[in-house]
Structures are given as C-alpha cells and as structure tokens.
Amino acid sequence: MAVNEPGLVIIGGSDAGIMAGLWARQINPDLPVTLIVRDRYPNYSICGIPFYISGETPDWQMLAHRTTADLEAAGLQLLLQHDATAIDPAAHRVAVRTPDGTTTDIPYDALVIGTGAAPIRPRLPGSDLPGVHLLHTIDEARTLRSMIDADARQVVIIGAGYIGTEMADALAHRGLAVTIIEMAPAVLTTFDPDLGQIIGDQLTRHGITVATGTTVERIEHADGPGLRVIGTNGLDVLADAVLIAVGVRADALLAHAAGAATDDRGALVVNNMMATNLPDVWAAGDCVHTHHVLYDHPVYLPLGTTAHKQGRVAGINAAGGHARYTGSLGTQAVKILDLVAARTGLRDTEATAAGYDPLSITIAVDDHKAYYPGATTIHVRLTGDRHTGRLLGVQLIGAYGAEVSKRVDIAAAAIHAASTVDALADLDLSYTPPLSSPWDPLQTAAHEWTRHRPVP
Amino acid sequence: MAVNEPGLVIIGGSDAGIMAGLWARQINPDLPVTLIVRDRYPNYSICGIPFYISGETPDWQMLAHRTTADLEAAGLQLLLQHDATAIDPAAHRVAVRTPDGTTTDIPYDALVIGTGAAPIRPRLPGSDLPGVHLLHTIDEARTLRSMIDADARQVVIIGAGYIGTEMADALAHRGLAVTIIEMAPAVLTTFDPDLGQIIGDQLTRHGITVATGTTVERIEHADGPGLRVIGTNGLDVLADAVLIAVGVRADALLAHAAGAATDDRGALVVNNMMATNLPDVWAAGDCVHTHHVLYDHPVYLPLGTTAHKQGRVAGINAAGGHARYTGSLGTQAVKILDLVAARTGLRDTEATAAGYDPLSITIAVDDHKAYYPGATTIHVRLTGDRHTGRLLGVQLIGAYGAEVSKRVDIAAAAIHAASTVDALADLDLSYTPPLSSPWDPLQTAAHEWTRHRPVP
C-alpha cells in the first residue's frame, strides 16, 4: 500500500478504533490512518467515569488514555466531531458529516468499524424525563457531575450491574443519598447471587439503599422539584437525578445498512481475524460479537479489554499484517467500596447452558498467612467440568489490596491453556506470608473441588 | 495395606513431612501415619520467622500452620523430640533416639524422608562465636528475639538473599541499626542486579547500611562487649549480634548413609513420583533436588511452596495412590519494606546457561490507571526465547498492594503451559482502573518484547 493511496480509515475513536490505528501504524509506519470521531474526546476511558463522578479523578481530562497530541504524534489523522453517515463498500467510501454540517466522502483502502455500543434505555414511562441519565459519554458524565457539584442530594440508580454498583459507590463517596434498584435477586448480576449479596451487604453497610428483586414501573415528576421513581415491592423514592445502567447494545446500524451481517442481538458478525463479510472491512470492540474460549458460538460481551485486543487484531490485519483474536473469557474485575469482585470463565449456570457438566465449590480462606497483620477473607467459587476435570471458571470476592483481581487472572491463564482443575493446584505460584499461603487460595479451592468430584 | 501393619513413617515435621502425612491420610484414611520430629515444633512456618523477629507477629506460636492438636485430629501420630539416627531399608526400619535418650526401632511399610535443609555456616574465622546466629529453627528465632527484646542495638547480617533482606527489614522495623553485607554487586541475589539495586536503594533510604560487593573476612570479639565484623572495602563494624544468611544445603545425610543416591550438591535424587532409589522410600522438600519446567536436569531450589507440592506427591504415592510432581519454576515473592519483588522462570543469564537464546526487555509502567489515586510504578523484566518465541521468565518489582506477586503468577501459569510471549499478550486478563490497565503491565511488556525480537 503506497503512501499516496487512501489508506486505512477507522470509524470510532474509542478503545477499538484507537488500538486499530496505533497497531496499523506500528506494522506499517507509512500507512495513512484517518479516524472519524463523533465527539471531541478520542481515546477516553469510559471505565473511568465513576471515578470522575466520585471526585477521586478530579478533572475529566485526566480520563484520556492518550491526548490528541499523542495520537497525532503516532501518525493518526483525527477528524473530531465528524459523523460517519454511510458506507459504500463497493466504492470503498465513507460519507461523513463535518462539524459545519456539510457532507464529504472519504475514500478507504481498508476500513475498521469501531462504533461501539449504546446504553439501553428501557421502555419505561418517564425514562426520557429531564434528570434521567444514560451515562455513556464524557459529555453526559460532565453534566451529571455538574448537577452533583451544584445541588443534587438524592440519586436513584436503576440497574446493579458492575457500572450501576460502581456508580452507587461513587455517588455515596460524594455524600449523596443513593438508592440502587435491581430486578435480579442480588446486585452485581454477572456473579452468582450469593456472591453478589456480599457486595450488596457492603453497599448497605455504607448507607446505600439496595432494592433487589424490584422492578421500576415508572418515573414521574415529583410534587416538588425532582423526580419520583415508582416500582414493585412498594418502591416509591424521590430523586434529584435518576441514572439508568441496565446494559448496552451494539451500535452497528451504520455497518448493517451497508450490508454487514449482524447476529440476532444486532452485533456485527466477524471472524477471528475481525473481518466482516464486506470486502476490506474489519470491525472490533463493543459493536461486534465476541469469540469465547469456552463457548462454541460467539457471544455479546462488550468489555474494554476485549475492545483493545480486537482493535489491535483488526488494525494489524487491515494494514496487511496477520493477527488472530484468540477469544474472551469474560474476565472482569470491579472495585466496590473496599471490596473487589473478579471473575473469569463460566459460572455454573453458564457452564450448564453451554453443555458442560459443571461442579462448583466455594471456600472462604485468608488472602495471606493470618500471623502477618491484615489478613482478609477471600471467597473463592471454582467451577470445573465433572467429566473432563477441566477448569471452567472462577469467581473471587475479597478486599481491595488482597491481590484479588490478578488471582482471577491466574485462573484465566490456566483456562486459556485448557488446564484441568488438578493442574491449577500444581502450578508453581509465589508465596510470601504477607501476600499468600504456600497453597494459593485458588489451589486450596482446586483441592476442595477434587475432593468433591465423583471419581471419574 | 491393612490397619494392623506398620504403615507410613515420615521423618521430618516441616512442610514436606506434614503434607505427606495429611495427603496420605486423605487418600487412605485407615493408614497409620507416624511422624518423627526432631524438635518440639511440627508444621511451623519458618518463612514467618522474620515477622516474629520484627514483632509484626507478636507470638512465635502463631507461626504454626497447624497445631499439634490439629495434626493429631487428622490422624497423624507425632513423635516430637525424636531423632531418627539410621534407616535400614532392607528391614524397613528406622532407628530413633527418644527424648529420654534411649533408642528404639520403628518399622515402616513406606517411608517419606523430609529432613529439610541446614543453613550454610561459611568457613569464616569467628563464625562460631557466641552472638553469631544461623537463623533456621524456632528455637534460634526465639533466642534472637530475646536478645533484641533485651538490649541488642546493632546487628550485622551477612548475606542479602531474600531471607537476609527480609531480616534487615524486620530488624530495622524494631529500631535496630542494621548493616547488611553481600558479596554480589546488589542485594536480592535471585534477581538481576539492577533490579536488586532498587531494593537496596530502598533499604538505604530506610536507614539500613548496605555493603554490596563486600566480603566478610572475619568476626572477632570487640574491645568492649559484642562483636566486630571485618571485611573488604574497609568493612569494620560493631554488632551486638551477627546473623548469617548465605543459603542452605540439603540435609540428606541420614538417607545417604542408608544408600539413597544424592546429586553433586548432596541433595537426594528422586523421580517425579518423589521416589528415591531405595525400595518404598520417598523424599520431598528441601532435602531433595527439584525438577524444573525449563531445565532438562534437576536443580536445587529449596522453597516452601515446592516442599508442600512435593510432600503431597510423596504422601499420595507412599500411601498407594498416584501423583506426579510437575516441576518448579523457582517462583518467589518477597516483601521488603513497602516493595514487593517477585520472579518466575529464568533470568537472562540462567536462560543462556540452560541453552536457550534469550532476549530480555524491561519496562516501568503504572500498576493501574494514573487517573485513579495511588498508582505506583511496576518494573517488569520479561525474558523470552528469541528462536521459539517462548516465554521463559518474568521479574517484577513494585509496591506492596499493587498485585505484584500474583501478576508474576499469571506468567508462571503461562510458562507452565509453554506459552509464547505473544500468547501472554492475548490472555483475557481483568481490568478495572483502580487495579490495572486495559493491557496488564505484563502484556505491555510482552508487546515491547515482540517489538525488540528480530523477525524470526
């Protein structure tokens, strides 16, 4: 690809798009790379929004993974506040609305779609009232933070996934009265309910009102200023602001309109090179379905880590290199108050649905030797396949500082290697009394699992 | 094996011996298991001695992994203060000196040797003077702690391996004036010198005198009370106590005298079932050589984690089960002051000596996103094989609390799986801004390694 050709065009300036651009330049430093970015904020960490809201990150501009200057120095041409409105795959052109409202056509040799996801707004009366927020962009975060800095005192959060619970933590940190509402029986719905309950209890202990098993039926104007949130179980609570965090859906309409295949959830279909069905068009990040190490079919698992890895693969391949996405395990960590919850692989129910024959055990053990000060409890749930002995998943909850998140990553590495539960216990893992035990908590759990497994 | 038979006899009541006994009972709950223990302290954590010396662990009895009552409840018969003096492999009997000085013969069906290691006392004039300590047993630890609790004010430590540096930290924590002396160019000699230097600088900043590249020539009585330590580079320092921590050697004389094969370092030769060359005799822990995942020959790597795993394997096999020791990576972690150093696999020099073609890179990156408070630097050195791309080793130094030790364990899991460096970067590892970055520091190092690797 010569430098006078159109080169690589990328739609989207978040994790997937930026990674695609940076890696494309890395393997082909002469390749022209143009990013079409809808807003003014390329490469912002939306995972950092809760910490900006809490004030722990004082300035929203700190949330940039890289500055615009960094990106331009790396050879990326940024078209900020440009909106891609159509793709013509036959002509290899993207129609773009510029900041002044005119439309222009940008040619490409290769195109990477990184249009991300959009937050789901539930079909709920009042969900479009002023004061109801769908927190997904830097501008929305700034608006909410301004409200809090001014006079908001009571906030209701609808949805207690990891973003909802992080936001409950953040708003309580600012001294607001917080109610968090979840339909499921416990908060932190990507964990088993009894483990989510540990986080829920911690939220309660910190003065947050937790309403699980509760469905919001409507949001309406309060008699005075503010809003009133009404639902099942007698839910009737006033709020200066309502935050909806019930999940996201792939934002794939642009590519779909150009003929890109989507799955039944609306996510773009890609192969493990991150190629779509359109010629010279790749896609990555929250707008695509995700290949999973333990499922024989793709799933929708939008996560920042995955977007980074997929963006890298898309960028390398779009620039003429060769890379393959090796698959997700849905590995996640979240810090809530002074606890960390982390998971990788499949929970028991997920493993059953995927056709495995799972056995799960749970232990609660010290993170390090009790004779060294500060030992705390780690709850370990380990899931393996009864038939093959294969390790399928781990969920951990423990104290912030107790190396919880990277312990889950040991299990992730083992699952990637198709390890058995027994082999997890054989790994030569580190030990010093202030940080672990001679058998790491994961290995104690592996022993416990083997004790419970019926002799094969 | 019927219950009226002699059953399993184990010589040694530390990590390897206790694991052998507990796992033997687990797979065969009717098996009589007898442990011959030289001192009064079965199953004590000698890794915890520095924290007892520092006072962070107030009572030495807290250092027991399990109490005598726990062990007896698990079905182990403990012969404390009994000293095994000879093994007759043909007759399947062990001669034992009892606490009252008489000798008795104990028959066995199966025998596990867990006689551990003894600290090396260098050939150094004055190394046997009163006040010179070789810290390896609970009694020795209690003696040293009594001295410190009484009136010791200045201590010299000879040897700056991980035990020497932990002791320097511990003694400084108690307010003593500490000098630590090391022949090698930097402290923490199981790490590359420039990384050890980071720990050395931290010791210095905390008021500890660090004398590297220095050889002690003699210890003598001071003119007043106490000792005087004299060596190269003008070393001449007074001490109320001198602590020698220059390593350990396998304590295998008992088994060797009975015909057990030893290697050129004096460690017992075992196969990966932990069987010695003697019939029905297994061995485990610091008295044996260790199979290593990355070397094609056994090495001597005495570590508590390894002793636990080998003891388990020996106990299961000695009880009629089947287990295999899958090998060590020399994985280690140590906390010194507010830093943690951790390593797994091979350093560059070790890899070269083992016949690999290593390439090592070093990066210094934040442990987590800088916009969340408290980010600290992690130094990552990653070693891989230029030719095959295989991951060979990782050394990390970072802050206590920054999940350093379990990050090294992610690499350990990958090395056990014979992973390439590239595959390390593909692992689906967890991320939340307070705990990591979208690419974990290990993965950023893996990318850096690949950038430096000549195209294969």
Side-chain angles (χ1 to χ4, degrees), chain A residues 364-402:
Chain A
V365 288
D366 286 338
D367 71 309
H368 66 253
K369 292 303 294 182
Y371 61 70
Y372 187 84
T376 53
T377 300
I378 298 187
H379 300 266
V380 184
R381 175 153 304 152
L382 186 148
T383 300
D385 185 73
R386 242 182 274 258
H387 181 63
T388 60
R390 184 169 177 190
L391 177 64
L392 295 176
V394 164
Q395 300 168 71
L396 295 183
I397 294 185
Y400 183 54

Side-chain angles (χ1 to χ4, degrees), chain A residues 14 51 69 137 139 158 173 194 197 219 231 238 246 248 297-298 318 332 373 406 408 423 435:
Chain A
S14 194
F51 312 108
T137 67
D139 273 333
I158 301 174
H173 190 90
D194 60 324
Q197 180 75 38
I219 306 169
L238 296 175
V246 297
V248 299
H297 55 88
Q332 268 190 301
K406 295 301 143 181
V408 123
L435 286 162

Side-chain angles (χ1 to χ4, degrees), chain A residues 129-150:
Chain A
L129 287 174
V132 178
H133 300 262
L134 294 172
L135 207 57
H136 196 67
T137 67
I138 296 296
D139 273 333
E140 287 157 354
R142 293 175 68 191
T143 302
L144 182 63
R145 166 102 175 232
S146 299
M147 277 195 61
I148 298 164
D149 290 347

Side-chain angles (χ1 to χ4, degrees), chain A residues 253-419:
Chain A
L253 294 179
L254 178 73
H256 184 66
T262 52
D263 70 5
D264 54 5
R265 293 191 54 155
L268 291 169
V269 170
V270 290
N271 63 16
N272 63 18
M273 312 282 283
M274 307 311 297
T276 70
N277 60 310
L278 300 177
D280 304 317
V281 179
W282 284 262
D286 292 359
C287 62
V288 306
H289 70 189
T290 298
H291 298 274
H292 194 288
V293 173
L294 293 169
Y295 287 111
D296 56 10
H297 55 88
V299 291
Y300 186 61
L301 258 177
L303 288 165
T305 44
T306 301
H308 275 76
K309 291 189 182 71
Q310 293 178 336
R312 172 182 169 274
V313 170
I316 289 174
N317 290 325
H322 294 283
R324 199 174 66 86
Y325 177 60
T326 54
S328 169
L329 287 170
T331 311
Q332 268 190 301
V334 60
K335 173 187 173 295
I336 304 296
L337 301 162
D338 49 1
L339 294 178
V340 172
R343 64 163 286 183
T344 189
L346 305 183
R347 296 153 55 186
D348 203 276
T349 48
E350 294 163 342
T352 300
Y356 294 97
D357 179 20
L359 169 69
S360 296
I361 60 88
T362 308
I363 61 169
V365 288
D366 286 338
D367 71 309
H368 66 253
K369 292 303 294 182
Y371 61 70
Y372 187 84
T376 53
T377 300
I378 298 187
H379 300 266
V380 184
R381 175 153 304 152
L382 186 148
T383 300
D385 185 73
R386 242 182 274 258
H387 181 63
T388 60
R390 184 169 177 190
L391 177 64
L392 295 176
V394 164
Q395 300 168 71
L396 295 183
I397 294 185
Y400 183 54
E403 306 215 349
V404 169
S405 75
K406 295 301 143 181
R407 277 192 164 97
V408 123
D409 289 352
I410 302 166
I415 298 172
H416 272 282
S419 166

Side-chain angles (χ1 to χ4, degrees), chain A residues 45 65 329 371 428 451, chain B residues 26 45 65 329 369 371 428:
Chain A
S45 172
H65 286 304
L329 287 170
Y371 61 70
D428 184 16
R451 268 192 279 277
Chain B
Q26 180 153 322
S45 171
H65 285 305
L329 286 171
K369 292 304 294 182
Y371 60 71
D428 183 17

